[in-house]
Amino acid sequence: MSQENLPEAFTSEFIINNPAGQDFQVNRRALADPKVLEAEMRHIFDTCWIYVGHASEVREPGDFQTRSVCGRPLILCRDSQNRLRVFLNACRHRAAVVCREREGNAKSYFCFYHGWSYNRDGELDGVPGRASYPDSFDATKLGLAEPPHVGVYKDFVFVSFNPQAQPLEDYLAGAKEYIDLIVEQSPSGRMEVIRGTQEYDIRANWKLLVENSFDDYHLMTTHSTWLNYMKRSGVEIKKPERGHLMPAHGVGKALGNGHAVIDNVNFRGRPVAKWIPLYGEEAKPEIERIRAELVDRLGEARATRVADTNRNLVVFPNLVLNDGSSITIRTFHPLAADHMQVRAWALGPVEETPKARAIRLDSFLTFYGPGGFATPDDVEALESVQKGLATFREVPWSVMSRGMSKVGEQLNTDELHLRAFWLRWHELMAPTFEE
Ligand code: FES
Ligand code: FE
């Protein structure tokens, strides 16, 4: 979405969008009111495609991961034929959760309450005292339920609770191109989630983490400690050119359906082919080898695109793929209007050597980890915003107009990509607005 095809000007109780007047504002009640969250659960989380997990997290028949998605307990698993399945984790008898482990391999799912059990295909195959049920009792109709739609794009697994959902690939729109740039880092096109999950809660509205995940305007201030550390470690941090705030060029782009990205020239190293002193001299040959493989396979131009740029991608509404010095899959769900639960995993090529994998995991922890250079500062910023939002009745509007006067390219420190998210949010939420 360029500036030219932004929607017509409008003003609602939540958004002021006035491209001609170069004004865009978001009403802070959208980030603070429990009633807004209630409407979001139905009009956003029950409408869109929502990320559940990665196919590599379940590999063998019976492998499972339990997840909490859109307020529902789910089982992401492989059935008896090794097909990827997603079940609603609720017993058909009286709704108790049938799989209470976080992950593992199950021969069957056994409900601890009255003892009903389900096989790997979700079929009800055990009912204690079955003879006492009348003839109308039909076990074949009482298997574990499934969401209306499950979709997989390049091993990223999504569900939709919307029976009328459009096909996943159509929904992903321009975000596919950026997922492809991630997957192409593997010679075989196979990426895997590396064991271990980062888990933390933030006392802030979930949409603040959407904004923060690709808001480069805050990098130089909020993350100055990290930038100083990089500098001290011998990484070249250039002085921003005139008109820029960042050490390297980067743009913000809208990708359709509310998805958006910041697409940056990499200055901070990548275990796919960009060495920095921080990785140590001994890692240099390995990283050069990875680069040579990329060039061989993809050609110089595409290898440069994959390796020398990095990206923070938001797949609307709540999936973030941070493909920088590591690749982080981050998803988050609201627990309350001012509280979210965050889950993050590291992703890497299956072929990666232990050395490259160690660099990746170190980067995963060092920057985006809950104790890393970025996340504690971001959490502090978001919780501070949420505190300030308590004044929304007195100061209702937040300004989001950076870059609106520009024709053409928008920088990563502009706010076109944030506006794209909010415009889609507005479109989906509009039926709930007061007349
Ligand atoms: Fe599962 Fe009763 S709730 S057996
Ligand atoms: Fe940050």
Side-chain angles (χ1 to χ4, degrees):
M1 197 188 295
S2 69
Q3 288 290 27
E4 295 78 56
N5 55 15
L6 282 174
E8 300 285 295
F10 65 83
T11 296
S12 77
E13 61 185 303
F14 288 109
I15 304 273
I16 296 169
N17 175 40
N18 178 9
Q22 299 171 357
D23 188 20
F24 193 99
Q25 300 186 46
V26 175
N27 193 294
R28 296 175 174 186
R29 189 162 74 77
L31 296 156
D33 185 346
K35 285 206 195 77
V36 172
L37 175 61
E38 224 172 88
E40 286 174 339
M41 294 315 293
R42 302 288 81 82
H43 289 266
I44 291 182
F45 287 96
D46 287 0
T47 301
C48 297
W49 282 96
I50 306 291
Y51 180 72
V52 178
H54 193 266
S56 66
E57 294 178 272
V58 285
R59 292 169 190 251
E60 307 288 331
D63 280 0
F64 68 84
Q65 296 280 340
T66 51
R67 296 277 148 90
S68 176
V69 172
C70 307
R72 296 154 170 96
L74 299 184
I75 308 171
L76 168 67
C77 59
R78 296 272 178 185
D79 70 11
S80 59
Q81 305 302 307
N82 211 25
R83 287 173 304 208
L84 261 179
R85 301 286 288 273
V86 177
F87 295 122
L88 305 187
N89 192 0
C91 182
R92 294 298 300 272
H93 180 223
R94 297 276 219 289
V97 159
V98 297
C99 184
R100 296 188 297 156
E101 305 291 326
R102 293 170 59 110
E103 60 179 8
N105 184 278
K107 288 209 163 44
S108 64
Y109 301 104
F110 176 76
C111 180
F112 78 114
Y113 194 8
H114 308 91
W116 286 23
S117 65
Y118 304 84
N119 65 22
R120 286 173 170 175
D121 299 329
E123 296 159 345
L124 177 63
D125 68 354
V127 177
R130 186 171 176 159
S132 291
Y133 279 103
D135 290 346
S136 59
F137 182 89
D138 184 354
T140 64
K141 296 207 168 91
L142 292 170
L144 292 176
E146 298 172 76
H149 296 285
V150 178
V152 184
Y153 183 72
K154 306 256 164 119
D155 285 344
F156 291 86
V157 185
F158 295 78
V159 292
S160 179
F161 295 103
N162 175 7
Q164 275 87 46
Q166 63 185 140
L168 175 63
E169 293 213 16
D170 296 346
Y171 174 84
L172 288 173
K176 280 189 301 187
E177 181 192 337
Y178 284 86
I179 295 174
D180 295 350
L181 283 169
I182 292 174
V183 173
E184 281 176 34
Q185 291 166 37
S186 157
S188 63
R190 281 169 52 235
M191 303 294 283
E192 64 183 354
V193 162
I194 301 161
R195 276 186 74 82
T197 310
Q198 294 178 351
E199 302 185 354
Y200 49 98
D201 286 14
I202 307 177
R203 283 279 174 189
N205 186 273
W206 67 276
K207 299 185 289 302
L208 292 179
L209 189 54
V210 174
E211 291 182 1
N212 172 268
S213 294
F214 61 0
D215 165 23
D216 261 348
Y217 189 30
H218 79 277
L219 190 110
M220 304 302 276
T221 41
T222 310
H223 301 305
S224 55
T225 312
W226 171 73
L227 285 163
N228 286 333
Y229 163 77
M230 296 285 277
K231 239 189 254 175
R232 282 202 308 277
S233 310
V235 179
E236 190 191 3
I237 309 284
K238 285 196 186 130
K239 241 179 124 61
E241 285 169 25
R242 224 179 122 71
H244 290 61
L245 283 168
M246 295 278 287
H249 184 67
V251 296
K253 286 188 204 162
L255 302 171
N257 288 341
H259 319 309
V261 72
I262 47 172
D263 187 337
N264 297 345
V265 174
N266 185 283
F267 67 90
R268 61 200 220 195
R270 278 156 71 71
V272 278
K274 183 148 176 81
W275 179 86
I276 51 170
L278 198 60
Y279 295 162
E281 277 298 324
E282 68 286 357
K284 210 169 180 178
E286 168 71 4
I287 296 204
E288 282 168 359
R289 189 194 59 73
I290 295 172
R291 177 61 176 244
E293 189 284 325
L294 269 182
V295 172
D296 229 35
R297 175 163 51 90
L298 304 173
E300 188 66 54
R302 184 69 179 171
T304 300
R305 176 76 175 111
V306 169
D308 293 345
T309 58
N310 62 260
R311 48 226 135 236
N312 291 22
L313 170 71
V314 168
V315 177
F316 189 94
N318 67 333
L319 170 65
V320 174
L321 300 176
N322 287 325
D323 179 16
S325 48
S326 61
I327 305 170
T328 299
I329 302 173
R330 175 198 278 170
T331 186
F332 34 95
H333 285 269
L335 299 172
D338 61 355
H339 191 185
M340 76 181 106
Q341 186 180 59
V342 187
R343 296 285 179 270
W345 300 268
L347 188 75
V350 293
E351 301 82 0
E352 202 158 56
T353 61
K355 196 179 281 167
R357 186 56 64 92
I359 292 173
R360 175 178 304 284
L361 283 177
D362 186 66
S363 302
F364 177 59
L365 291 175
T366 309
F367 190 67
Y368 288 119
F373 276 109
T375 298
D377 290 340
D378 285 321
V379 168
E380 177 74 17
L382 268 48
E383 294 189 344
S384 163
V385 170
Q386 197 69 41
K387 278 190 192 126
L389 287 170
T391 65
F392 77 86
R393 289 174 190 83
E394 292 74 36
V395 187
W397 295 97
S398 283
V399 184
M400 202 173 278
S401 56
R402 283 183 68 82
M404 277 186 100
S405 60
K406 294 178 187 168
V407 179
E409 188 174 83
Q410 296 275 307
L411 295 180
N412 48 6
T413 51
D414 291 331
E415 292 174 334
L416 170 87
H417 45 293
L418 276 70
R419 292 193 290 277
F421 170 84
W422 276 105
L423 286 169
R424 180 64 178 149
W425 179 91
H426 187 269
E427 202 179 327
L428 292 172
M429 291 287 282
T432 72
F433 297 165
E434 285 163 17
E435 292 294 306

